[in-house]
Amino acid sequence: MRISAILTLFLYYACSFAMSNEPKPIQTFVIPHSHMDVGWVYTIQESMHAYAANVYTSVIDELSKDKRRKFIAVEQEFFRLWWDTVATGTHKKQVRRLVKEGRFEFIIGGQVMHDEAVTDLDDEILQMTEGHGFLYETFGVRPQFSWHIDPFGASATTPVLFALAGFNAHLISRIDYDLKDTMQKNKKLQFVWRGSPSLKVQQQEIFTHTMDQFSYCTPSHLPFSNSSGFYWNGVALFPDPPKDGVYPNMSLPVTKKTVHAYAQTMVENIKQRATWFRTNHVLWPWGCDKQFYNSSVQFNNMDPLMDYINQNSKEFGVTVQYATLSEYFQALHQSNLTWEVRGREDFLPYSSESHLAWTGFYASRNVLKGVARWASSKLHATETLFSRYRVSFPDGPVAKDWALAKLRALRWAVSEVQHHDAITGTESPKVADMYIEHLSQAMMGVDEVLAALFLLPHDLGTPDILGTNYRRKGSHQPLEQHIIVYNPLAWNITTFINVTVTFPMATVFDDNGQPVPAQLGGLQHRKYLIKFSQKPCSGGPKGGFTYVAKAVVFERRRVKDWSKTGKRLLPVLNECYKLLFDQDTNLLHSITDCLKKRTVAVTQDFWEYQANQARAEALSDNYIFTATGFAVRAYEAVGMEIVPGKIVSEIRQYFYREEGDKEYSYSITTRVPEGFKSRLLCHRLEQTYSLGPLAVNTEVTLRTSTALKNNRTLYTDDNGYQMMKRTYRKFSNNTVARNYYPMVRAAYIEDDLSRLVLLSDRAHGVSSQANGQIEVMLHRRLWSNLPWDLGYNLTLNDSSVVRPTLWMVLGSVNATSRLYQREAILLQHRPVVMPIDQPQKAWLQKEPRGRSLVQPVVLPPNLHLLSLSIPGWNYNSQDSLHLSDIDSGEDLRSKPDYDRVLLRIMHLFEDGEDPDLAKPVSINLKEVLKGIGEVRALEERSLTGTWDITSLQRWKWNTANNLETKNKKWSTSGLEAFNVTISPKEIRTFFVHFSSISF
């Protein structure tokens, strides 16, 4: 018996030992999803009708049938349209239950999956805030994970923003093919990203997962079938879904005969993927573009397939389960591994193959990029003005519901166009027209709001801006016109305004009766009076600020005659610069920095890449830029005229494609402003260009050639947030295109002595192809015969005339470091100019108006008022109380909150960028905002406003240089609560509550 007992004990331990050495099966997280482009080939309306509405209807129905099933929802625009226009009451109850159960999970949560290359910081934050506000108000959920599977490259700004919004992990996919291959082999597709060199680690670090070579689509190849794999619902049909439910290319159903073959294919793919990652967990995305519109077919085939694999998991070495993205990241987090850290490097530009550089879209559809930025600027201005109005005059005659509805329409349109196939210019022409239409209509609505805020009396006891203080003068008086100029920034600014008039002479006065030039305070507006006359004004104080400007025309110069140049130089000067123009070429010759007394040779002209002249695999299209050779000069002759002035001088250069052309093909208009005792103004050389219609298959650049020794090193901005150093790289293929980078707001080149900065009013592509050069791709017109382009109408036959603006700043590195960030914002948010009447007989004031009683809101020069708005979301700031409100069934969306103001302030400088301006700044928000009203309460929030900063505890990931982190606490009690210190590159977000006052 004893021997038997010992033998049994021995066998038990032996068995246990053998079992403990068996390899653990790979744990596979099957994540059902549908990639639903908000635009691209089909309009929003077409997509909703053909498939998008059916995705949510059928997914909700199918998840309700089986508790194992799960789904992730990404872009909010389609979901919100479905929720508001399609979903029944039963559907809404099902969604709420599934969200609570964690089986229907919102990922990213923004209105769209925004592009990362050509989008601006302001608009990325806006579209996330719009989506997050809806989700939190409606469901009480706050997305904590990203799913950036399709943007064409990854910026280092995006993970910072996601971290500030409260995300725990980030997911990307499209990075350079060769880099991804190396990362796969070395199991380095996952890392902790710290995208900002200035922010504290705990504020910004975020775990990042890079999808492997299969990306976000289920592997489509089936060795046993000609149909695509795992897409049992087939391919979506446009314009109408089939009545019989039979779609093209539906995969073979899972049956007893096919299940083993399906299982082998799926398991082989899982095992291949497992070799590229460090843990025993595999993310297996199940879906692709436009999938799950017939979810019953999808789940009814995947259910038995997954059951079969799990029943044979020992044989396969794999287990599979339906999962949400949060479950996958939770498994990784619990693995407790130590992860490598990635710094501020981004993944731009992006190439999918050696000859396919996705750098063309940086400049595609220039008009759309410009309209999108213009709309964003107008939205910002109207938000700030409406916020002031609501705080100061809560019972004023401007209907708050009407105004908020107009603002929300523009928020929606601006958010929508940030999609990665929208502002990128990679959509079909009809979709581009749709975006323009949505933006234009929404801007018209906001113009109505601006007019109401400017012109209606602020309360029933106050006259309007013309009102009863004026009476008509006699008919013999000259004509006059009134305009309003509003400064949407929290800085005092000096600038010049262009207003088109129909009379030869005009004198301008401000609302105090003083002749302009004038200065405008932060968040202030002033009325200006333009008096017209048929003859020049007489001297004296009333006419002393009006100047007659006449153009001096120079002879057109042919390129072939440029044998002797640099002998006849014509100066144009202001307080900051001396520009020399060569009369033998009509081109810019040099710029002298008057402060440093340093002269830099500078020439500007247009060059073009002739596209689609070579082999079929190397064609340029909406996405791709493929240089088939070096750029060639885009003109044969140049004309010039100069309009000297005492406020601003203007140099107009006209470039003729052929020397005998009557009409120019390109132009540069350079405005050289006087400083008016403000060196900030005279440092800015404002240039506007005209290009188009282009010849087919040309890509046109503005080339600025200088004597700077930059060794082809370039600096460009990442989404307007931070500057990235771009070192020129050589490749075996496509070197020109792979050295192009996105320029959203700024780019510069420099050497030890000087820096040349270009600031942009919209996104472009930019490169330094030779020492001392910076070239900006401004316009593209392309046609190819590739089946892909023709099939989806993505050939970019853009025949438009485009008129972008760049501002140029030249100076020492130290001087320009203090200027360019602020100047970029001044370009983006130029004053709003609104004519409030047509030229008419003069009006006479009964009594002097005196200075406006509206006090300015002014921040220090290194801080920027990023947002001042009334979102309208009606959720309780305390999460537990808000969830209680939701559970009670209260309809929160029907009662907007007009008393909560969203405030964001951003520090413009990187740590160490400037000895004075790059330091932390302490301000008292009660004092800063007193021009709006009396601040009574302040809450610090996450970037999109849905988290109280004191309750936000993001996951901590182990890294080699781990630092102990603690979330900062924010107190709102007493006066000390209003003191805020903002460090370099910080974005601080607050809910502000005012005690209403009247002026």
Side-chain angles (χ1 to χ4, degrees), residues 16 22 38 70 479 533 543 600 656 682 729 778 790 804 884 983:
S16 297
E22 287 183 5
V38 183
K70 299 177 182 180
L479 293 182
S533 63
V600 178
Y656 299 86
C682 76
R729 300 177 298 165
L778 297 178
L790 295 176
S884 177
S983 297

Side-chain angles (χ1 to χ4, degrees), residues 693-736:
L694 302 184
V696 175
N697 285 329
T698 57
E699 303 172 84
V700 179
T701 70
L702 172 76
R703 178 177 289 180
T704 303
S705 303
T706 76
L708 299 183
K709 298 177 175 61
N710 73 315
N711 195 30
R712 296 191 287 192
T713 296
L714 175 72
Y715 295 81
T716 70
D717 69 308
D718 240 21
N719 311 111
Y721 178 68
Q722 56 189 339
M723 299 302 293
M724 312 295 291
K725 184 177 181 179
R726 312 296 193 182
T727 304
Y728 189 86
R729 300 177 298 165
K730 293 184 179 179
F731 300 93
S732 57
N733 285 306
N734 220 12
T735 294
V736 170

Side-chain angles (χ1 to χ4, degrees), residues 450-501:
L450 280 172
L453 294 172
F454 285 143
L455 301 179
L456 288 181
H458 288 165
D459 58 43
L460 298 180
T462 304
D464 61 21
I465 202 163
L466 295 178
T468 57
N469 279 345
Y470 293 84
R471 62 179 174 83
R472 180 78 71 180
K473 291 183 70 175
S475 60
H476 64 281
Q477 294 297 322
L479 293 182
E480 65 182 36
Q481 181 181 353
H482 301 83
I483 65 170
I484 290 177
V485 180
Y486 173 60
N487 171 23
L489 297 172
W491 300 320
N492 294 331
I493 64 170
T494 301
T495 188
F496 59 86
I497 303 295
N498 291 325
V499 179
T500 301
V501 297

Side-chain angles (χ1 to χ4, degrees), residues 420-461:
H420 58 271
D421 272 309
I423 197 168
T424 52
T426 53
E427 64 282 311
S428 65
K430 68 177 178 181
V431 175
D433 292 342
M434 177 201 72
Y435 293 131
I436 295 273
E437 180 183 0
H438 290 179
L439 289 165
S440 300
Q441 288 180 347
M443 280 194 287
M444 289 172 62
V446 164
D447 281 338
E448 295 174 8
V449 176
L450 280 172
L453 294 172
F454 285 143
L455 301 179
L456 288 181
H458 288 165
D459 58 43
L460 298 180

